[in-house]
Amino acid sequence: MAQIANAIDWLDPAVNRRVIYRCRTRGKALLARYRRALRSGPETERAALRVILGSHAFKVYAAWEANRKLPPWRRHCDIHLLKAAKRIHWNQPLTDPERLIIKGKSSRKVRTLFDFDLTRRAAVIGLAVILKAHVSVRPFQYDLKGPAKAIEAVKHYLSEGYLYVHHMDIRDHFRSFDAKKLSTELPFSTRMVGHWVMADAIPVGKVVGAFGRALPPIMGDLHAHAHLGCPKGSALSS
């Protein structure tokens, strides 16, 4: 499987499609095995996780998922997808600079958005899929159950006579996360938590303003502004 996953045929698109299909199948099987391993004890879980993280097929599966989530006009070809998967190294951060988009807000503040490449998107989605195997959906997490369940719950409470709704949010929720503490709770190494779960080092490259115009990097705290909320380059926000 490793030889098949690493094969990139520059001339025959059918070969690349077969490679991606087989890697997707293998990646889904590894995830299913990992979910079963969670019920079999920590040793079995760690062994299944090592297999997933050491599998190139799983990286291709994650790259395919990341590419599928992009709008149709932004999706990459099969060759680019396979190359992005080969560049994923879980214990090393990506050094390629990412494009940063600056947008103004009605409050006259600045909103900074990253436009990540496929490799980072694939790595983040891959780890997010693994993390979701540990998620136990609670009754109040209707965003994980879908809008229909949320509407059904509201109807139920209205029929019981409830009249008021209270909205609560956690101040600085993402900024309260600590990579060292998270690494004791998550099945990943401290490096992986820092690089991918927290996204603590995202190099800023080209800065783009309104209408796609390039801007000089005049703001020394652009990266800090981008981390006011947990950026899309982290598994926590996926």
Side-chain angles (χ1 to χ4, degrees), residues 201-230:
I202 303 178
V204 176
K206 185 178 181 181
V207 182
V208 179
F211 307 108
R213 292 179 296 182
L215 299 176
I218 54 176
M219 295 174 60
D221 58 345
L222 275 177
H223 193 230
H225 275 278
H227 276 67
L228 291 179
C230 203

Side-chain angles (χ1 to χ4, degrees), residues 15-51:
V15 173
N16 295 328
R17 283 195 294 270
R18 285 197 298 270
V19 169
I20 293 172
Y21 175 79
R22 295 185 66 174
C23 289
R24 285 171 51 201
T25 304
R26 174 66 173 164
K28 291 178 181 178
L30 290 175
L31 276 174
R33 183 187 300 176
Y34 180 69
R35 294 189 186 99
R36 292 194 298 269
L38 294 178
R39 301 191 293 267
S40 303
E43 288 294 330
T44 309
E45 175 190 341
R46 284 193 290 268
L49 182 62
R50 283 195 298 269
V51 173

Side-chain angles (χ1 to χ4, degrees), residues 56 59-60 63 80-89 119 122:
H56 187 79
K59 296 177 183 179
V60 175
H80 193 158
L81 189 153
L82 291 170
K83 289 177 67 177
K86 290 186 69 174
R87 294 181 61 242
I88 297 175
H89 302 286
T119 302

Side-chain angles (χ1 to χ4, degrees), residues 59-177:
K59 296 177 183 179
V60 175
Y61 163 75
W64 182 85
E65 283 287 335
N67 199 41
R68 183 178 65 86
K69 291 177 182 292
L70 290 172
W73 61 89
R74 292 196 56 193
R75 289 174 188 165
H76 301 273
C77 65
D78 293 340
I79 291 177
H80 193 158
L81 189 153
L82 291 170
K83 289 177 67 177
K86 290 186 69 174
R87 294 181 61 242
I88 297 175
H89 302 286
W90 300 115
N91 285 315
Q92 299 176 15
L94 282 176
T95 57
D96 293 348
E98 303 287 353
R99 194 169 75 121
L100 189 66
I101 302 172
I102 298 178
K103 291 186 176 181
K105 299 171 68 174
S106 57
S107 60
R108 296 187 178 180
K109 294 183 179 180
V110 175
R111 173 177 294 166
T112 53
L113 303 170
F114 277 111
D115 183 19
F116 296 113
D117 68 1
L118 187 60
T119 302
R120 187 179 296 274
R121 291 175 184 271
V124 167
I125 286 176
L127 291 191
V129 168
I130 296 174
L131 286 175
K132 285 176 181 176
H134 295 263
V135 173
S136 177
V137 180
R138 306 299 181 185
F140 52 82
Q141 291 176 306
Y142 294 112
D143 55 332
L144 298 178
K145 292 185 174 183
K149 291 291 184 181
I151 295 171
E152 182 181 332
V154 170
K155 287 182 62 178
H156 170 73
Y157 289 126
L158 287 174
S159 66
E160 290 191 351
Y162 289 92
L163 300 176
Y164 301 99
V165 175
H166 187 69
H167 174 77
M168 293 184 294
D169 199 359
I170 300 175
R171 183 177 297 174
D172 289 337
H173 175 64
F174 286 119
R175 296 178 70 181
S176 67
F177 283 106

